[in-house]
Amino acid sequence: MGRPPNGAAGRCTADDLRDLIASSAEEFCWLSYTLTGERVRAQISLEKACDQLMDGTGLVFREWIHRWARRLIIKSCIATMRGEIQSSSQSASKHPAVPAPSSSAALVLPELSLQSLQECLLRLDPLSRFVLVLRMMEKYSRRETALLLGVDEGTCDVAQEAAIKEVKVRRRPEERMPVQPAPGLTRVSSPGKIRKDNSEWHKLRTSP
């Protein structure tokens, strides 16, 4: 990654962040729902992440805001799911240890549409789901994944192996499909408060 330009010109503005949220809305909804597995938790996690994202106005380089936004969403989902992650980690820690992946080359997901991948991930326990997303989609290291999830690296390895087996068993030969928003989640057009009306989520409203 090249060095960002020096000075304020290279840092993001509030408009940059609002544009990112609007243009990446479906992607961010997919990520939040896939990690939490439940639309209310997904929406709450996404709202908190968007608020944190806007706090970075003028602090983060433009070249990094997309990656940074995904990390904030992941951390928000982890905070929301902390209890479930800890419960499933206790089960994973009882399984025999598995060899650590020898290289990142082994961390390749089967070719699946995003819809099929999401279906596979939602069948996993919370720890395995987070480990697979962090290690194989976000390309985090074993150490960073373990630190974020609050578990040891051996437990991450067990969860990762279980997740990979599940995904491979359930893979279907389909062409890639465009990103689909999670059921019940609207596009995220801008940060702010969420209101619920007649069981439908409204778009997040702009807070200048």
Side-chain angles (χ1 to χ4, degrees), residues 52 70-80 82 148:
Q52 292 171 351
R70 288 182 67 91
R71 186 178 180 87
L72 288 178
I73 293 169
I74 289 168
K75 291 182 71 174
S76 182
C77 290
I78 290 173
T80 299
R82 179 65 68 186
L148 281 172

Side-chain angles (χ1 to χ4, degrees), residues 7-63:
R11 299 181 187 275
C12 64
T13 64
D15 285 342
D16 291 331
L17 296 175
R18 279 190 280 267
D19 289 345
L20 173 69
I21 293 171
S23 63
S24 303
E26 291 179 352
E27 172 194 343
F28 292 166
C29 285
W30 187 95
L31 178 62
S32 184
Y33 181 75
T34 300
L35 287 173
T36 61
E38 200 271 325
R39 67 182 184 182
V40 175
R41 288 182 173 184
Q43 196 78 33
I44 291 171
S45 299
L46 194 56
E47 177 188 359
K48 291 179 179 178
C50 286
D51 288 342
Q52 292 171 351
L53 184 64
M54 294 305 296
D55 289 340
T57 301
L59 302 176
V60 182
F61 290 109
R62 289 190 180 95
E63 289 84 351

Side-chain angles (χ1 to χ4, degrees), residues 152-173:
D152 60 70
E153 293 182 23
T155 300
C156 278
D157 293 338
V158 171
Q160 178 179 308
E161 183 183 52
I164 293 172
K165 287 181 178 178
E166 178 71 9
V167 170
K168 286 183 177 179
V169 165
R170 296 184 181 276
R171 65 175 298 185
R172 293 197 296 268

Side-chain angles (χ1 to χ4, degrees), residues 110-180:
E111 287 296 320
L112 291 170
S113 69
L114 286 172
Q115 179 178 336
S116 295
L117 177 59
Q118 185 180 69
E119 290 172 358
C120 291
L121 290 171
L122 291 175
R123 293 189 182 99
L124 301 173
D125 65 82
L127 177 64
S128 296
R129 188 163 66 240
F130 273 90
V131 168
L132 189 143
V133 171
L134 268 60
R135 293 284 284 129
M136 301 180 70
M137 296 180 67
E138 303 299 312
K139 304 301 181 185
Y140 288 180
S141 68
R142 292 172 68 236
R143 183 173 182 274
E144 188 173 16
T145 298
L147 287 173
L148 281 172
L149 296 175
V151 301
D152 60 70
E153 293 182 23
T155 300
C156 278
D157 293 338
V158 171
Q160 178 179 308
E161 183 183 52
I164 293 172
K165 287 181 178 178
E166 178 71 9
V167 170
K168 286 183 177 179
V169 165
R170 296 184 181 276
R171 65 175 298 185
R172 293 197 296 268
E174 299 175 2
E175 296 181 356
R176 287 192 175 274
M177 296 164 57
V179 177
Q180 297 296 322

